Amino acid sequence: MSEATSRPLRIAVIGTNYLGANTAAGMAEFGFDVVGVEIDEHRLKLLNDGKAPLYEPGLDPLLKKHVDSGRLRFTKDYTEIADWADVHFICVGTPQLEGSEAADLTQVHSVVSMLAPLLTRPTLVVGRSTVPVGTSKVVEARLHAEAPAGTGIEIAWQPEFLREAHGVDDTLHPDRLVFGVQSAEAEARLREVFATPIGEGTPVVVCNLPTAELVKGGANAFLATKISFINALAEMADATGADVTQLADALGYDKRIGRGMLYAGPGYGGGCLPKDLRAFMHRAGELGVEEVITLLREVDDINQRRRAGLVDITHEMLGGVWAGKNVAVLGAAFKAGTDDVRDSPALDVAGRISLHGATVTVYDPEAMENARKVRPTLRYASSAAEACIGAHAVLHLTEWPEFRELDPAALRGSVESPVIIDARLLLDAAKWRAAGWTYRAPGKP
């Protein structure tokens, strides 16, 4: 644990992509001196210029504010933080391991390899990365074995619950804080770090390390289950003429259920839920908890089936013919408010349709550059109106506000066939139908 000092705490944030950039900026806003560690030269330059390496509303101004004030800076040199910082936050990515459902902990172990030999005084190392349960004790064993300070290094785990497009607010005003600790001293240090949100009334759950590790995976698994459940009900609504949106409203009034995440659509995606769900299943398998695997496997299957179902609906609306058809896809990011296209339902559906032989043109307000990298064979337009020119069907796949504001009457003259498939169930069906469009929304009559 860190030695007691009369000065304010100094904080290091290792890994500065989505989680780390928000964490570093947030800690500076809380009043601490912060150094972020980033080994990618391009991202490092952006960050030291006060710019985020990704699109996240509100993050650039916060970074710029604290870089300019001198409270926040970024480096690639671990020697600058090892004995300087009182608390080290590990915020690196844990993607899905190639060829497996397991989490790839390469970046976590790389941090330990780089940091441990440089730690010569007691300090607190706090994991924020989402990891399989049991990882923290492995990290602790390595730190004790490889750091000159030995058992003076204490490990804690403090899972994050940031929502993309809301990362800044979730960092500064979290809905809960979970401290996985092994001593009262570690708890006190984390309470000092998060004194601002705690002072605002944010509840704190203090628990042991495995509980803290399970919280994030468990939360994401539950959210994925809720999304897949409402999408399964949407399939029933399609088969019976029910309205899944009204159904979700009615269910949501039950306080035991709640309306949050009960939004039928193309399914979940992004850099967290899909890979975290699979890593959770993989770890459950290692622990022999088969019931968890059975439940979550169906959740994942429903999510994939939702995407395939949208392809089938598109085929139906095209008259059962792919060849010679133009399809406009509105949206590439996995959800609005981000440029993240990782495991994006929108791009997945677009790619599947393209493989069937249709010409697919995509537009997204923020994610075009990332989409081109992932799906270079698709066509891309500079606006929604341009994407719709000559289209035989238009798919609304990401819930950007500008798509809800489109004028269906104006678009009617530029498409080949006025067919709109509203996978997000957010467009004004009456308005589109009145403008002469065939409107189709899975789960709605």
Side-chain angles (χ1 to χ4, degrees):
M1 175 64 81
S2 306
E3 299 163 342
T5 63
S6 58
R7 57 169 170 73
L9 289 180
R10 297 191 295 215
I11 294 176
V13 176
I14 306 171
T16 55
N17 204 13
Y18 181 78
L19 169 58
N22 277 287
T23 299
M27 294 298 159
E29 182 71 3
F30 290 157
F32 302 108
D33 287 333
V34 182
V35 174
V37 177
E38 177 53 63
I39 60 173
D40 182 275
E41 293 282 2
H42 176 66
R43 284 205 294 261
L44 182 61
K45 184 180 186 308
L46 284 175
L47 289 161
N48 275 320
D49 287 339
K51 299 176 182 177
L54 63 147
Y55 176 74
E56 177 66 24
L59 182 53
D60 275 2
L62 195 62
L63 285 168
K64 182 69 172 170
K65 171 185 175 182
H66 293 298
V67 167
D68 286 352
S69 73
R71 181 171 287 167
L72 173 62
R73 65 184 180 86
F74 298 89
T75 182
K76 64 178 181 180
D77 189 351
Y78 279 77
T79 62
E80 294 186 31
I81 64 157
D83 284 338
W84 174 86
D86 302 301
V87 181
H88 296 82
F89 281 101
I90 299 176
C91 295
V92 294
T94 54
Q96 189 171 336
L97 187 65
E98 188 173 355
S100 170
E101 291 184 330
D104 184 348
L105 300 179
T106 300
Q107 294 181 56
V108 173
H109 288 297
S110 178
V111 169
V112 176
S113 296
M114 296 293 290
L115 181 64
L118 303 173
L119 295 175
T120 63
R121 71 178 178 91
T123 193
L124 180 65
V125 176
V126 183
R128 297 205 86 198
S129 301
T130 303
V131 297
V133 60
T135 302
S136 59
K137 296 305 289 184
V138 175
V139 170
E140 179 184 62
R142 286 197 59 196
L143 288 170
H144 288 176
E146 299 172 30
T151 56
I153 309 299
E154 184 164 357
I155 189 79
W157 222 263
Q158 195 269 312
E160 52 84 19
F161 304 99
L162 307 189
R163 299 165 298 161
E164 291 194 50
H166 303 277
V168 171
D169 191 59
D170 288 346
T171 298
L172 300 180
H173 310 287
D175 57 9
R176 79 279 206 192
L177 291 164
V178 176
F179 297 160
V181 295
Q182 301 179 93
S183 71
E185 189 179 4
E187 178 188 342
R189 181 51 49 87
L190 286 173
R191 287 185 178 276
E192 186 178 357
V193 170
F194 291 97
T196 298
I198 291 174
E200 295 174 350
T202 298
V204 178
V205 176
V206 180
C207 57
N208 61 18
L209 293 175
T211 303
E213 290 169 310
L214 279 171
V215 166
K216 179 61 184 297
N220 279 350
F222 184 81
L223 293 176
T225 301
K226 202 169 182 183
I227 294 169
S228 284
F229 180 78
I230 196 64
N231 278 333
L233 289 184
E235 294 177 9
M236 293 188 69
D238 261 341
T240 59
D243 187 321
V244 71
T245 301
Q246 294 174 343
L247 177 60
D249 287 341
L251 291 172
Y253 283 114
D254 189 324
K255 293 179 180 178
R256 297 167 300 175
I257 298 172
R259 187 62 169 86
M261 306 303 283
L262 281 182
Y263 296 96
Y268 57 80
C272 290
L273 256 63
K275 62 98 174 172
D276 288 350
L277 181 81
R278 292 162 195 155
F280 203 75
M281 284 192 287
H282 183 84
R283 186 64 176 132
E286 292 178 332
L287 296 170
V289 188
E290 297 297 327
E291 293 82 357
V292 171
I293 300 173
T294 301
L295 171 64
L296 298 185
R297 180 72 65 202
E298 183 58 27
V299 168
D300 201 25
D301 288 347
I302 291 171
N303 196 55
Q304 294 301 315
R305 189 165 71 237
R306 192 64 171 172
R307 302 178 185 190
L310 285 170
V311 176
D312 291 341
I313 289 172
T314 304
H315 192 227
E316 175 191 337
M317 301 304 286
L318 292 174
V321 177
W322 291 113
K325 300 296 185 179
N326 299 317
V327 176
V329 169
L330 303 182
F334 84 95
K335 71 173 186 176
T338 180
D339 61 356
D340 192 347
V341 299
R342 291 175 293 177
D343 210 344
S344 165
L347 273 190
D348 188 11
V349 170
R352 294 187 194 204
I353 291 173
S354 178
L355 286 174
H356 280 297
T359 298
V360 179
T361 304
V362 178
Y363 169 71
D364 188 284
E366 293 292 340
M368 298 289 276
E369 182 179 349
N370 290 338
R372 284 189 178 97
K373 293 175 183 176
V374 175
R375 299 279 183 177
T377 60
L378 300 178
R379 294 186 179 184
Y380 294 91
S382 60
S383 68
E386 181 185 330
C388 292
I389 294 173
H392 296 89
V394 178
L395 276 68
H396 174 222
L397 293 178
T398 306
E399 70 280 22
W400 289 101
E402 74 172 72
F403 298 151
R404 296 198 294 275
E405 296 167 4
L406 289 172
D407 183 350
L411 285 180
R412 174 68 180 81
S414 64
V415 298
E416 187 68 26
S417 302
V419 173
I420 181 77
I421 300 169
D422 181 16
R424 290 289 180 175
L425 287 69
L426 291 172
L427 302 179
D428 186 335
K431 182 178 177 181
W432 284 81
R433 284 171 174 150
W437 288 74
T438 299
Y439 174 90
R440 178 75 177 272
K444 292 180 72 70

